[in-house]
Amino acid sequence: QVQLVESGGGLVQPGGSLRLSCAASGSIFSINAMGWYRQAPGKQRESVATITSGGVTNYSDSAKGRFTISRDNAKNTVYLQMNSLKPDDTAVYYCNVRGVLATTGRPVFVSWAQGTQVTVSS
C-alpha cells in the first residue's frame, strides 16, 4: 500500500558528492519518521540519518558533518545530500519511511525501499 522510489545512487570518486532521493506514495495518511540506512558487503545494515515530521534530525557519527538529510512533506520525499564521500561510504543505501495508512483503523506502517548502490572509488 506504500511504494518507495529511490534515485540518485551511482559511482563517484572520493571527495565527490551524491544526492539520494526517496519518494513515498500510496494510501498514506501521515508520515512520521523518514530515514536512510546502508549496508556494506559483509556488514549489518546501519542507520545513516533520520528525520522526524517536525524536522528533528539524527546522524551517525560517520555521517555527521558530511551528510545532510532533509524532507519535503508536501511531496512525501526525503533526501540525503552526501558530500566528501569516502570509499568506506560504499554500500547499498535504503530509504525507510514510517507513518500511518489512510485505511480503516489507521494502521501504522514501516516501509523499506529496494536500495540504491553507492560506490565511492577512483
Side-chain angles (χ1 to χ4, degrees):
Q1 292 177 308
V2 176
Q3 297 80 41
L4 301 181
V5 177
E6 289 183 339
S7 62
L11 173 65
V12 65
Q13 292 187 342
S17 298
L18 281 176
R19 189 192 194 209
L20 306 182
S21 299
C22 176
S25 62
S27 301
I28 298 171
F29 177 75
S30 66
I31 292 179
N32 301 326
M34 307 180 85
W36 292 94
Y37 295 73
R38 69 186 184 186
Q39 187 166 18
K43 295 186 178 181
Q44 291 187 333
R45 189 174 298 188
E46 62 177 1
S47 175
V48 176
T50 60
I51 185 168
T52 68
S53 58
V56 178
T57 58
N58 188 61
Y59 295 93
S60 67
D61 287 343
S62 63
K64 286 178 183 176
R66 300 187 299 126
F67 295 179
T68 302
I69 188 170
S70 61
R71 61 189 282 175
D72 184 332
N73 290 330
K75 297 181 179 179
N76 287 342
T77 300
V78 63
Y79 306 94
L80 185 68
Q81 177 67 44
M82 301 186 293
N83 299 327
S84 302
L85 283 161
K86 307 173 182 178
D88 285 349
D89 295 317
T90 296
V92 178
Y93 284 70
Y94 297 91
C95 168
N96 173 267
V97 175
R98 302 167 186 261
V100 178
L101 291 174
T103 54
T104 303
R106 296 282 195 264
V108 299
F109 72 88
V110 179
S111 290
W112 289 92
Q114 62 182 17
T116 185
Q117 178 70 46
V118 171
T119 302
V120 185
S121 175
S122 55

